[in-house]
Amino acid sequence: MKQADFERYHRNRWLAFALWLDFQRPKKGQDGQRQAPFPLTELPDRYRELCQHLALARDRHYTSQLVDELHRLVQGGHMQLYGSRSGQGFNFFRFMAQDFPRLVRQEWPFTVTGLLLFFVPLFGLIIAMQWYPGLADYLIPQMTQAQMEHMYRPGNEVTGFTREAPDDILMWGYYIYHNISIDFQCFAGGILFGLGALFYTVYNGVIIGAIAGYLTHKSYIVTFWSFVAGHSSFELIGAALAGAAGLELGYALVAPGPYSRLHALKRRAQIAVRLLGGAATLTFIAAFIEGFWSPQTFIPPMVKYVFGGSMWLLLSLWLLLGGRRAA
């Protein structure tokens, strides 16, 4: 369908939606005279219709003016459905409970790619290291190997690091800095046409997989795996999704479509930053568990395994199903 025909056929619906959004901003002296162009109960259906029109306009490469107009209407409708009606602006808990898992599914080409780039080398090296332990000498410096063996040796009062119990909060702060810095590293690498995000996502998967495979081959199974079980789901998935956010930035530069690269980057960045925010929140949670739960040796390993397995299951279900009812 030509753009002129597309606009002529749907223009009245867009105008009605714009008028409805304007109606939500009361004007002094006119409250009793104004009437909404359609009832509130029609908003979800009209919003879905508008999203479909925006997708068609992008897919058919209609002019940027039309796409921007529809994008502004979609943004206004989204705020009315999920934000501004409450008068509270951004709601972090609603974002994490509903909007973020919907965003992960909505951006599935990037999130699935990020997960594969991270987890395929990670699990591949864990398995390969059991048959080819010599790979550790190529991937892990000798000093790091010795440090890992010291950290996870049986008999430590706490596992994962050597320090006194009163430093729990300091270690929590270190984990926050370390984990979230990895997320931002993967994200910022996207500005290099996605190559930096791709490299750091794969690199982190390789290093983590190599260390896990090395310690498993060394038979530090209980001390290592019971330590990482509790926080691994939040930390690893968070890192992979941060890489996905970086790939989203890179895609805007590689395939800007009908826009300039700067314009495409600005548009994609609005989505990528929200994806990064959710990923960083996951790694923040991981740091809390890693600082206060994971190193405690008085907790039986089986309890840690059950807790960790439950976190993997719940986190996976949340990303797959979260926000569906609200949508």
Side-chain angles (χ1 to χ4, degrees):
M1 180 183 292
K2 293 182 178 180
Q3 179 173 329
D5 296 331
F6 183 75
E7 289 191 60
R8 184 170 56 252
Y9 188 76
H10 299 295
R11 175 60 65 181
N12 289 337
R13 301 282 289 182
W14 304 339
L15 178 60
F17 199 91
L19 290 173
W20 190 91
L21 292 176
D22 184 67
F23 179 79
Q24 306 309 308
R25 298 185 288 269
K27 300 178 180 178
K28 293 182 178 180
Q30 299 182 9
D31 293 348
Q33 304 172 11
R34 304 171 73 222
Q35 183 176 359
F38 56 83
L40 179 62
T41 54
E42 294 185 17
L43 178 60
D45 289 336
R46 286 180 178 261
Y47 175 72
R48 281 192 291 268
E49 178 187 59
L50 192 64
C51 291
Q52 182 184 26
H53 292 168
L54 174 60
L56 289 172
R58 287 172 172 168
D59 186 62
R60 295 170 180 173
H61 301 294
Y62 290 156
T63 63
S64 59
Q65 290 83 356
L66 176 60
V67 172
D68 288 342
E69 176 188 354
L70 294 175
H71 182 68
R72 285 192 296 269
L73 292 176
V74 167
Q75 282 187 319
H78 184 274
M79 288 300 297
Q80 290 298 322
L81 279 169
Y82 305 117
S84 63
R85 284 184 299 169
S86 65
Q88 298 176 350
F90 178 75
N91 187 313
F92 172 78
F93 296 102
R94 183 180 61 241
F95 170 74
M96 290 305 299
Q98 301 177 8
D99 295 348
F100 180 65
R102 280 204 303 267
L103 183 65
V104 170
R105 296 193 299 270
Q106 172 189 313
E107 302 302 308
W108 68 267
F110 302 101
T111 55
V112 170
T113 301
L115 290 167
L116 289 175
L117 289 173
F118 185 82
F119 282 104
V120 168
L122 188 153
F123 288 120
L125 276 168
I126 291 176
I127 296 171
M129 203 73 75
Q130 310 315 306
W131 279 270
Y132 305 101
L135 288 172
D137 295 331
Y138 296 97
L139 298 173
I140 310 172
Q142 292 292 329
M143 182 179 296
T144 303
Q145 293 182 28
Q147 183 183 20
M148 291 296 108
E149 292 184 28
H150 177 71
M151 289 166 60
Y152 295 102
R153 65 184 179 185
N156 285 351
E157 292 184 8
V158 291
T159 55
F161 41 81
T162 302
R163 49 87 169 151
E164 299 297 327
D167 292 331
D168 280 341
I169 295 179
L170 292 178
M171 291 307 302
W172 178 38
Y174 167 77
Y175 288 136
I176 292 174
Y177 169 78
H178 179 263
N179 295 349
I180 293 182
S181 66
I182 290 176
D183 292 350
F184 278 91
Q185 184 183 58
C186 294
F187 174 75
I191 204 69
L192 300 175
F193 292 86
L195 296 177
L198 190 152
F199 170 79
Y200 283 118
T201 303
V202 173
Y203 173 80
N204 287 315
V206 167
I207 294 302
I208 294 173
I211 291 174
Y214 174 77
L215 291 173
T216 301
H217 178 75
K218 287 289 185 178
S219 300
Y220 286 20
I221 296 174
V222 174
T223 50
F224 173 72
W225 287 106
S226 65
F227 174 80
V228 302
H231 62 268
S232 59
S233 57
F234 295 98
E235 181 176 346
L236 301 183
I237 291 178
L241 293 180
L247 293 174
E248 184 127 22
L249 291 182
Y251 182 78
L253 297 173
V254 173
Y259 309 103
S260 68
R261 282 190 167 84
L262 180 60
H263 189 188
L265 182 62
K266 289 180 179 179
R267 292 169 62 86
R268 285 284 178 182
Q270 296 178 11
I271 300 173
V273 168
R274 296 172 65 216
L275 196 58
L276 174 65
T281 300
L282 294 183
T283 54
F284 179 86
I285 295 172
F288 182 85
I289 299 173
E290 190 174 5
F292 295 101
W293 166 274
S294 299
Q296 308 305 329
T297 55
F298 67 85
I299 303 174
M302 185 55 64
V303 174
K304 291 186 175 182
Y305 294 145
V306 171
F307 175 79
S310 300
M311 293 301 100
W312 274 99
L313 177 61
L314 292 175
L315 188 56
S316 300
L317 290 175
W318 168 62
L319 292 175
L320 291 172
L321 304 175
R324 289 185 181 273
R325 179 174 299 179

